[in-house]
Amino acid sequence: MAELTILAPAHSSLSNCVNAPLRQPFASQILAFIQVLSKLLLSDSRAKALPELVALGFWLRHSHIQQLKETQQSQSSGITKALGLVLHFTPANVDTMFVYSWICSLLMGNNNIVRVASADSAAKNTLLQLLNQVLNQAEFADIAESNLFVTYPKEATFSAELSLLADARVIWGGDDSVNAIRSLPIKPRCRDISFADRYSAALVNGNALVDKAQVSELAALLWRDTQPHAQQACSSPRVIFWLGNTSQQQALFSQINLLASGQAIEINGLNNHLVVSQLIQSSGLADKPLVNRTICALPVECIKPEFLGWHLGSGLFLIKHLQCMLELPEHIDNKLQTLSYWQVEQKDLLKLVEQPSITGLDRIVPVGRALDFSPIWDGVELLSHLSRKIEFL
């Protein structure tokens, strides 16, 4: 029989978590807990070897959490209170994402059950070890009692049983997984916040890319957005929209390949590069790859859904050339989440995305910041959605 396994805190229980009292949003104990976790992530030797955990520790630093608090309070009217018990279903392809949505819910005073995906990784294992280390401290006993990290087989009935207890569910995953979870019965007032299949792109102004120093800088920024999570994060660029002059394309992707060659790339990723590039080329919609070694950079005539469906990450870039920015809307759909940009005027981007024809696109950020998490994700303001307001008139 399938079992529910508690990963953290080590000595907690499901009944304790469900029945634990709620807290005030941004309670002092919550803020103290987050600061201890942040400092541990930034100082522990195991975490420091994993860029995604360093990024998480930096995101959790005191000044940033204080900024979130001030922003939330300045936008709120009436009284903000915790929502209740929040159930989180985490993505298998991004092994630290569950902490971001959990922290947003924790900040609002909620109790939380986090179903961690069963896929194993060094980042996930290290993170859970550090979480247990902080949750086991006596001063955080109340937080340990009201927050639970669990795992269980996908085919088990626990998702249905836990869903009936939840006041909100945060669901990360592919379209099929999200729809399967959303079909489970819930309380009449339970809120569902879903983050389904998305992809992201970068817009590079080739007219501004003129020397080796710029090539090296841009390559490092793109690799920063691509290397964590093997390019499988929804906000990692898989498509490169190249604006104007293409004379530096070969140099740029050769430099990215040089950066990637120092990383361990699974053979399955390299095989996927070969298969996908051959499939797209056989359709007559792609030229030969600019680079096809550790990474693959493939110029394409258009961006089709099946191209993105075949894409399994690990450094595969689909490059679509644009003569001008006005061509961009016809090549994006409602699954585009993040557009990162390099040497493009913000005012031009804002004018572009105001067009009603653009139904996707929830984030526009500089290249190098595609993986920066914000409480506004996929157009959803998490802090507000994970709390309730009492209005006074």
Side-chain angles (χ1 to χ4, degrees), residues 160-233:
E161 295 169 15
L162 294 174
S163 289
L164 287 172
L165 301 173
D167 297 295
R169 300 186 299 184
V170 180
I171 310 168
W172 301 87
D175 291 353
D176 292 341
S177 296
V178 168
N179 285 332
I181 294 170
R182 291 181 64 182
S183 70
L184 298 173
I186 54 176
K187 295 177 181 179
R189 295 187 63 194
C190 179
R191 301 179 184 178
D192 273 351
I193 305 167
S194 302
F195 301 106
D197 281 338
R198 306 296 297 275
Y199 75 95
S200 294
L203 176 62
V204 171
N205 183 0
N207 297 322
L209 189 61
V210 296
D211 59 42
K212 290 183 179 180
Q214 288 178 313
V215 167
S216 295
E217 177 189 4
L218 178 56
L221 292 171
L222 282 169
W223 188 237
R224 181 190 301 172
D225 287 342
T226 306
Q227 184 268 331
H229 317 296
Q231 202 187 8
Q232 294 188 60

Side-chain angles (χ1 to χ4, degrees), residues 89-315:
F89 294 93
T90 68
N93 60 332
V94 184
D95 40 23
T96 58
M97 184 58 75
F98 68 86
V99 177
Y100 290 101
S101 64
W102 168 62
I103 287 291
C104 288
S105 181
L106 179 66
L107 282 169
M108 302 317 293
N110 296 302
N111 297 345
N112 297 276
I113 300 174
V114 183
R115 194 265 177 174
V116 180
S118 57
D120 209 13
S121 75
K124 186 189 82 171
N125 293 338
T126 300
L127 184 53
L128 287 168
Q129 290 169 12
L130 298 181
L131 277 170
N132 264 316
Q133 186 174 328
V134 181
L135 288 167
N136 285 337
Q137 296 181 21
E139 61 266 40
F140 302 129
D142 291 345
I143 292 177
E145 190 169 75
S146 56
N147 290 271
L148 205 60
F149 297 84
V150 303
T151 190
Y152 51 81
K154 198 171 184 179
E155 66 275 8
T157 61
F158 293 114
S159 290
E161 295 169 15
L162 294 174
S163 289
L164 287 172
L165 301 173
D167 297 295
R169 300 186 299 184
V170 180
I171 310 168
W172 301 87
D175 291 353
D176 292 341
S177 296
V178 168
N179 285 332
I181 294 170
R182 291 181 64 182
S183 70
L184 298 173
I186 54 176
K187 295 177 181 179
R189 295 187 63 194
C190 179
R191 301 179 184 178
D192 273 351
I193 305 167
S194 302
F195 301 106
D197 281 338
R198 306 296 297 275
Y199 75 95
S200 294
L203 176 62
V204 171
N205 183 0
N207 297 322
L209 189 61
V210 296
D211 59 42
K212 290 183 179 180
Q214 288 178 313
V215 167
S216 295
E217 177 189 4
L218 178 56
L221 292 171
L222 282 169
W223 188 237
R224 181 190 301 172
D225 287 342
T226 306
Q227 184 268 331
H229 317 296
Q231 202 187 8
Q232 294 188 60
C234 57
S235 56
S236 288
R238 299 183 177 195
V239 175
I240 306 296
F241 291 113
W242 190 283
L243 183 62
N245 192 322
T246 61
S247 62
Q248 297 295 330
Q249 274 189 2
Q250 183 76 52
L252 176 67
F253 289 102
S254 295
Q255 181 64 27
I256 295 174
N257 187 78
L258 185 63
L259 295 172
S261 63
Q263 305 289 324
I265 305 292
E266 292 186 5
I267 190 65
N268 287 343
L270 300 180
N271 288 340
N272 178 249
H273 295 171
L274 178 63
V275 171
V276 172
S277 62
Q278 289 180 340
L279 278 171
I280 299 176
Q281 286 178 85
S282 69
S283 71
L285 296 174
D287 293 330
K288 292 182 180 180
L290 296 174
V291 176
N292 195 10
R293 295 192 291 276
T294 307
I295 71 160
C296 180
L298 183 68
V300 297
E301 294 295 321
C302 60
I303 308 298
K304 289 197 165 189
E306 54 264 36
F307 298 173
L308 297 166
W310 297 332
H311 196 300
L312 296 179
S314 298

Side-chain angles (χ1 to χ4, degrees), residues 319-374:
I319 308 163
K320 171 58 186 152
H321 181 251
L322 305 175
Q323 294 292 345
C324 66
M325 278 183 56
L326 294 177
E327 298 176 19
L328 183 59
E330 66 182 275
H331 297 291
I332 63 178
D333 59 22
N334 62 6
K335 283 189 172 292
L336 179 66
Q337 184 213 58
T338 298
L339 181 68
S340 52
Y341 62 92
W342 186 83
Q343 293 295 319
V344 179
E345 293 289 338
Q346 287 188 351
K347 61 181 177 61
D348 294 332
L349 285 169
L350 290 172
K351 184 176 180 180
L352 187 76
V353 300
E354 285 176 349
Q355 297 184 29
S357 62
I358 297 182
T359 57
L361 193 51
D362 295 315
R363 301 175 68 233
I364 301 174
V365 301
V367 169
R369 295 184 57 188
L371 295 177
D372 290 1
F373 185 81
S374 165

